[in-house]
């Protein structure tokens, strides 16, 4: 039966856990609207990617407004 070979001391655990913290994501700024965007993704605010319009921002509505319009 498998058993731990050595006792994990509290300092051993803490030293290992020192690397568990999540890194903050890296952001770029949109060249068009200057807002913070994720790299390699289209800007969610103006819908451009590499200087091209790829998302229809005007047509897109939020979930709440879409639901209220149906009723
Ligand atoms: Zn933008």
């Amino acid at each position: 039966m498998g058993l731990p070979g050595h006792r994990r001391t509290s300092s051993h655990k803490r030293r290992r856990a020192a690397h568990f913290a999540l890194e903050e994501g890296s952001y770029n700024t949109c060249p068009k609207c200057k807002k913070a965007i994720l790299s390699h993704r289209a800007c969610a605010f103006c819908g451009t990617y590499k200087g091209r319009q790829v998302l229809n921002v005007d047509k897109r509505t939020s979930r709440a407004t879409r639901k209220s319009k149906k009723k």
Side-chain angles (χ1 to χ4, degrees):
M1 194 165 80
L3 284 169
H6 291 280
R7 176 187 160 166
R8 286 264 184 271
T9 63
S10 58
S11 70
H12 191 122
K13 280 189 277 186
R14 282 198 299 260
R15 220 179 305 153
R16 191 162 56 93
H19 302 280
F20 286 174
L22 291 174
E23 267 180 48
E24 196 181 337
S26 67
Y27 292 95
N28 291 343
T29 50
C30 175
K32 196 182 175 190
C33 65
K34 311 288 181 208
K35 280 184 176 161
I37 53 163
L38 292 166
S39 52
H40 303 106
R41 278 161 188 82
C43 176
F45 302 98
C46 63
T48 54
Y49 185 71
K50 283 189 172 179
R52 271 190 319 129
Q53 192 74 32
V54 290
L55 296 173
N56 197 344
V57 184
D58 306 325
K59 224 179 181 183
R60 191 177 57 199
T61 50
S62 71
R63 202 167 246 236
T65 55
R66 238 185 292 160
K67 268 192 177 177
S68 61
K69 271 182 185 175
K70 263 191 177 177
K71 279 180 183 175

